[in-house]
Amino acid sequence: MRPGGLRRNRPVWVASQGVTLGRVRVSSLPLFHSLLHRVSSQPCAGPRLSCEASRLQRARFGLRGPRFRKLKIGAGHRLDVKASGVFVLGIGHGNKLLTDLYNCHLTKVYTVGGLFGKATDDFSDTGNLIEKTTFDHITREKLERILAVIQGTNQKALLMYSNIDMKTQEAYELAVKGLIRPMGKSPPIITAIRCLQFALPEFQLEIHCLHETQQYLRKVVHEIGLELKSSAVCTQVRRTRDGVFTVDDALPRTQWNLQSIQEAIRNCQLKVQTELEKTLAAHEENSPLHQLDGTQLSMLCRSLREQHNTAEVCQRGDGQQKERG
Amino acid sequence: RIKGQQLPPRKRLLAPSRGQRGLSAETGLPLTRSFGYCPSQPRHRCASQGCLYLGCFVKPDSGWKKPRRIQPTPYRLETEDKISSAACGYGFTLLASNTRDITKVWGMGLNKDSQLGFQRSRRDQTKAYEYVLEPSPIPLPLEKPQQTRVLQVSCGRAHSLVLTDSEGVFTMGNNSYGQCGRKVVEDEIYSGSHLIHQLKEFDSRVVQVVCGQDHSLFRTKKGSVYACGWGADGQTGLGHYDITSVPTKLQGDIAGVNIIQVSSYGDCCLAVSDEGDVFGWGNSEYLQLASVTETTQVNVPRHLPFKIGKVKEAACGGTGNIVLTEEGNVFVWGYGILGKGPNLTETAEPEMIPPSLFGCSDFSPDTRVAHVRCGLSQFAALTNRGELFVWGKNLRGCLGTGRMEDQYFPWRVTVPGEVVDVACGVDHMVSMVRSFT
């Protein structure tokens, strides 16, 4: 399984002026156009020069046109077309923070809906039907036991890819805080899975995972169906949490305007900083931060705090709509 | 199981049948029904891990697999009956079922002192096996074999105890120190012995039997504790350091106290009263009782004044002790790998193990430890979600984690099912597991 995550160094050049979209879906274009327009027309958008001074300077040099020509927007962890939920984006300096957040390897939480009795070729309910099975023998208890097995096998993988020596006191400290996680590339790992709703033939699971893709989650639903001697397809994959960003921080489509975006950025700033500090500090022996001493480390943390534009959050259509690129 | 082909949709000719193959009403594709599921009883299994050479069976049940010396992950043991109680001794195991059938107890492993009873050899009818490689039935001299039930079994270094509901306690094995509750016979040969002793004279019905290394403890319904066997470390708690061959009631701080649980495995013993107090006696070389006394042998039960809350369950190992409180917190003390990382090797006062290590988090805040068990140098904890956590010295893979290194903090063992109970030995462990489907 290919691990999910950022696909780097592949900027998508769009045939419209001014908006450089790195790794973003094309359907968000109208949003970014309007953003660029708004940002250019806003009176005090630039942090360095005051509005008056900047306007005078531009008049002096005969500059005309929008103040901002380029707006760098980066996307966080991938969300495929049939899925929905929290999707993290970064603007400007936020792109660097996105990279740092990616290196923290925080877990993502999904709500996955499934349906017993069918099996399709792409594991979702819109694929070609291959088999139908009975499911009246399935009970919630049986499902929960299968979930326990899945959690157990994934725990072993977690340990293996975390590269932590289990015999050290640091391993104990990390385990108490729940910070034993793979800090590099690894196959998809499910750290926790539980059943939220169960009403035959439908069921709903909450899955906490790392380095996953949504297709992997659909495959997990299919395999649960097989283990229960039946079959299952996945009807819904919705990301409810991506690291520190939850559904509550996310902006629905009606709020995709500049003011809400700015407010969302401000609200999330503190959370992002604390998470970065916590994870980078805990794993400092594995990262280049290890070479820094105390004062340098605090300076780095302070510079992270001074970034104005941290990651921004947008929410894709909330489960009912299916996005088409 | 997914069929690669796709049948063209057919008209509805047959109603969907309950047999193996019918046509599904909507799409006309074949409808598959699974076989072999039993909706009534959940099947119970036994799984063992650790040193297979002596402690458990060596010959795997499917003949083509090579016999293994060490089993680092749980391996299933096939038995006909549902096993309700298991105990691991020093190189042997006892499994018991509370059935009314003739065969109630099975044993395997070392039998050099007839701790598994007389296992008649097939080659020579007069001799007995010294090693039993498969779970073999142990014949008990019951008066009413089709009515009596076996409640619990316990194993020590070279002796075993079987508790029944109406016929008292049966003891077998080595009796050099009187641990079987009968008079010590000079130069007795224990190998190939048919002798199984029955103990009935207690003040009330015996409800729990516990084997220490070379001594035995009996807890009765009235809450009193009896002991017999070796006492050089004071583990009999009778006020002296000699051997005792007749079960005698313990006094000291537990006189008059209603004891609800006793535990022992090495030379130290712990008892829990109904009010949540902990009492200890026996060996204290590893600081097990250092909170009340400096002496290394305590031969009278002493109350351990810990301020950790009401204690529900206690378990005693060779060098470390563990208790579980009513709130679900786990405390350890003693010497060795205690479960708080490699830095904590000895402590006289109980230290709590953080509940987050047992799976309690904001995601599942109701997860609690339900039972604690102790082997000679390992600990095991069972949570209310049926998960098994182990830590301690990993002798010959007995922890079941799949690795051969020692485990310094609680780690979950992947068991295919919900763990109901676990028994820890010196270098192997047996768990009773309820299966999924």
Side-chain angles (χ1 to χ4, degrees):
Chain A
M1 276 280 135
R2 254 190 10 237
L6 283 181
R7 209 197 310 176
R8 306 182 200 223
N9 303 325
R10 291 269 297 271
V12 173
W13 291 93
V14 196
S16 70
Q17 194 184 9
V19 179
T20 306
L21 298 173
R23 313 159 288 227
V24 179
R25 281 193 244 176
V26 177
S27 59
S28 348
L29 257 188
L31 161 70
F32 302 129
H33 274 300
S34 71
L35 253 188
L36 190 59
H37 178 70
R38 288 286 201 88
V39 160
S40 295
S41 59
Q42 250 215 343
C44 282
R48 291 201 196 103
L49 299 168
S50 70
C51 4
E52 196 58 42
S54 73
R55 213 161 8 117
L56 284 177
Q57 193 146 53
R58 284 163 58 81
R60 205 158 116 215
F61 292 110
L63 289 173
R64 270 184 227 116
R67 192 177 298 134
F68 291 96
R69 285 181 171 276
K70 279 194 188 151
L71 195 65
K72 269 208 174 125
I73 296 181
H77 294 112
R78 208 184 279 171
L79 198 64
D80 71 5
V81 168
K82 284 186 273 211
S84 61
V86 174
F87 186 49
V88 180
L89 297 151
I91 297 184
H93 295 297
N95 286 310
K96 289 195 209 118
L97 285 176
L98 266 186
T99 318
D100 293 328
L101 275 180
Y102 175 73
N103 290 332
C104 281
H105 301 277
L106 300 168
T107 56
K108 297 182 252 324
V109 180
Y110 287 82
T111 306
V112 175
L115 190 73
F116 285 119
K118 290 202 299 188
T120 57
D121 56 355
D122 66 350
F123 311 137
S124 75
D125 54 350
T126 53
N128 295 320
L129 188 61
I130 291 183
E131 189 184 46
K132 288 188 76 95
T133 55
T134 58
F135 49 81
D136 40 1
H137 59 279
I138 300 178
T139 62
R140 187 173 181 148
E141 224 178 34
K142 288 183 192 170
L143 176 66
E144 287 186 341
R145 285 167 183 165
I146 299 287
L147 299 182
V149 167
I150 292 177
Q151 205 164 344
T153 48
N154 273 279
Q155 207 198 26
K156 199 172 168 194
L158 185 75
L159 189 59
M160 196 163 65
Y161 289 101
S162 303
N163 281 330
I164 291 182
D165 186 3
M166 293 287 276
K167 294 200 211 139
T168 55
Q169 188 70 16
E170 288 86 63
Y172 167 70
E173 304 287 340
L174 286 174
V176 173
K177 289 186 219 155
L179 286 177
I180 288 191
R181 289 199 295 267
M183 293 306 274
K185 273 200 179 219
S186 81
I189 293 181
I190 294 177
T191 53
I193 183 169
R194 68 172 174 172
C195 176
L196 293 176
Q197 282 174 34
F198 184 82
L200 279 178
E202 289 167 358
F203 63 98
Q204 205 178 48
L205 304 172
E206 187 181 312
I207 303 183
H208 292 218
C209 41
L210 281 170
H211 306 158
E212 81 301 338
T213 55
Q214 285 79 41
Q215 190 61 13
Y216 177 77
L217 295 176
R218 290 188 194 103
K219 189 167 180 231
V220 166
V221 169
H222 165 77
E223 283 174 0
I224 287 174
L226 291 182
E227 285 291 321
L228 289 167
K229 298 183 183 126
S230 175
S231 58
V233 291
C234 177
T235 49
Q236 181 205 39
V237 175
R238 179 173 180 249
R239 183 152 68 198
T240 48
R241 192 186 159 113
D242 185 345
V244 286
F245 301 98
T246 62
V247 175
D248 303 321
D249 307 319
L251 298 172
R253 201 185 260 273
T254 50
Q255 287 180 20
W256 287 3
N257 51 53
L258 183 66
Q259 207 168 2
S260 322
I261 292 175
Q262 280 183 326
E263 207 178 295
I265 292 176
R266 246 177 265 129
N267 291 342
C268 292
Q269 254 179 340
L270 189 60
K271 272 203 288 192
V272 171
Q273 287 150 18
T274 42
E275 186 59 47
L276 281 177
E277 280 174 19
K278 185 169 104 173
T279 312
L280 291 177
H283 286 272
E284 61 185 14
E285 52 265 23
N286 296 332
S287 77
L289 290 174
H290 177 55
Q291 276 87 41
L292 299 174
D293 64 359
T295 44
Q296 284 174 317
L297 186 61
S298 62
M299 268 168 59
L300 177 65
C301 290
R302 214 178 307 131
S303 73
L304 288 176
R305 241 175 261 133
E306 276 161 7
Q307 304 281 354
H308 283 286
N309 294 314
T310 58
E312 171 211 338
V313 174
C314 283
Q315 188 181 40
R316 295 269 146 198
D318 198 352
Q320 276 76 37
Q321 306 161 356
K322 297 242 165 105
E323 287 284 336
R324 300 273 169 242
Chain B
R1 282 185 232 185
I2 286 285
K3 310 226 173 355
Q5 73 225 24
Q6 231 178 318
L7 296 186
R10 282 205 267 170
K11 271 214 282 201
R12 267 204 272 169
L13 298 174
L14 303 165
S17 73
R18 291 190 152 252
Q20 179 188 359
R21 292 293 196 167
L23 289 174
S24 129
E26 297 117 62
T27 63
L29 284 177
L31 187 73
T32 323
R33 177 179 285 278
S34 69
F35 272 112
Y37 90 94
C38 179
S40 46
Q41 278 100 43
R43 281 184 301 135
H44 291 247
R45 301 181 188 145
C46 235
S48 70
Q49 63 230 27
C51 178
L52 289 184
Y53 211 50
L54 292 179
C56 292
F57 72 103
V58 169
K59 189 180 81 168
D61 33 23
S62 43
W64 57 272
K65 286 193 194 152
K66 271 182 14 192
R68 273 179 296 228
R69 266 193 76 219
I70 289 179
Q71 176 64 43
T73 47
Y75 191 93
R76 180 154 164 210
L77 286 175
E78 290 284 355
T79 51
E80 296 96 34
D81 276 300
K82 175 185 130 176
I83 300 294
S84 60
S85 166
C88 293
Y90 288 46
F92 65 104
T93 317
L94 276 185
L95 306 171
S97 159
N98 70 346
T99 162
R100 284 218 164 110
D101 298 344
I102 309 272
T103 310
K104 302 173 204 288
V105 188
W106 294 263
M108 54 230 188
L110 273 182
N111 197 24
K112 284 195 156 177
D113 290 289
S114 297
Q115 53 262 60
L116 304 176
F118 185 80
Q119 300 288 333
R120 198 180 297 276
S121 160
R122 254 177 263 164
R123 258 181 273 157
D124 185 348
Q125 297 281 330
T126 53
K127 296 243 176 60
Y129 284 129
E130 292 208 324
Y131 299 93
V132 177
L133 301 182
E134 270 182 317
S136 306
I138 296 178
L140 293 172
L142 294 165
E143 280 169 15
K144 302 191 186 119
Q146 299 201 310
Q147 286 180 33
T148 318
R149 288 190 201 271
V150 167
L151 298 176
Q152 196 215 330
V153 283
S154 185
C155 301
R157 182 187 60 87
H159 72 294
S160 21
L161 301 176
V162 177
L163 172 66
T164 59
D165 58 352
S166 51
E167 294 194 36
V169 182
F170 290 91
T171 66
M172 46 202 168
N174 191 302
N175 194 41
S176 339
Y177 308 109
Q179 60 264 47
C180 286
R182 57 187 168 89
K183 197 149 173 290
V184 180
V185 173
E186 288 259 350
D187 299 327
E188 182 178 351
I189 298 173
Y190 299 105
S191 162
S193 159
H194 291 256
L195 185 54
I196 297 183
H197 188 64
Q198 189 179 14
L199 291 169
K200 277 193 184 177
E201 289 87 31
F202 297 95
D203 60 359
S204 49
R205 194 163 66 83
V206 177
V207 288
Q208 188 192 0
V209 287
V210 167
C211 282
Q213 192 161 352
D214 279 310
H215 69 287
S216 311
L217 297 171
F218 310 87
R219 176 173 69 87
T220 63
K221 199 158 175 182
K222 282 196 184 155
S224 46
V225 180
Y226 288 73
C228 64
W230 203 42
D233 278 327
Q235 57 263 57
T236 46
L238 295 168
H240 56 77
Y241 294 109
D242 309 319
I243 64 174
T244 318
S245 41
V246 172
T248 320
K249 194 162 166 176
L250 266 68
Q251 304 295 337
D253 285 358
I254 63 172
V257 178
N258 184 13
I259 300 289
I260 56 166
Q261 199 231 342
V262 226
S263 169
S264 177
Y265 199 70
D267 288 324
C268 180
C269 313
L270 284 182
V272 177
S273 73
D274 56 351
E275 288 172 10
D277 298 316
V278 183
F279 299 84
W281 64 99
N283 191 10
S284 180
E285 285 168 17
Y286 303 102
L287 309 178
Q288 292 107 316
L289 307 173
S291 51
V292 283
T293 172
E294 297 246 324
T295 55
T296 50
Q297 275 86 21
V298 177
N299 61 3
V300 168
R302 296 285 305 270
H303 176 217
L304 302 176
F306 297 141
K307 304 267 182 305
I308 54 180
K310 199 167 156 187
V311 171
K312 198 167 76 168
E313 206 175 63
C316 234
T319 58
N321 297 343
I322 185 171
V323 291
L324 174 69
T325 58
E326 288 275 321
E327 296 104 48
N329 292 326
V330 173
F331 288 84
V332 287
W333 76 99
Y335 172 82
I337 299 179
L338 294 175
K340 292 191 73 161
N343 288 1
L344 184 71
T345 50
E346 62 176 14
T347 167
E349 293 293 328
E351 301 246 349
M352 186 169 100
I353 295 188
S356 59
L357 289 172
F358 295 112
C360 178
S361 60
D362 341 305
F363 179 57
S364 53
D366 300 324
T367 306
R368 290 224 188 309
V369 176
H371 297 287
V372 285
R373 302 272 182 263
C374 216
L376 199 65
S377 43
Q378 311 87 6
F379 297 90
L382 293 172
T383 60
N384 54 2
R385 282 154 42 112
E387 297 176 346
L388 173 64
F389 288 85
V390 293
W391 65 100
K393 284 198 86 61
N394 197 6
L395 285 174
R396 304 185 191 96
C398 62
L399 292 183
T401 50
R403 304 188 301 272
M404 299 304 290
E405 293 98 39
D406 299 336
Q407 181 61 35
Y408 289 92
F409 55 91
W411 194 254
R412 195 170 177 276
V413 178
T414 307
V415 181
E418 201 183 294
V419 182
V420 172
D421 203 0
V422 69
C424 304
V426 172
D427 55 7
H428 71 292
M429 267 197 216
V430 171
S431 50
M432 276 147 293
V433 170
R434 200 180 302 153
S435 73
F436 303 131
T437 42

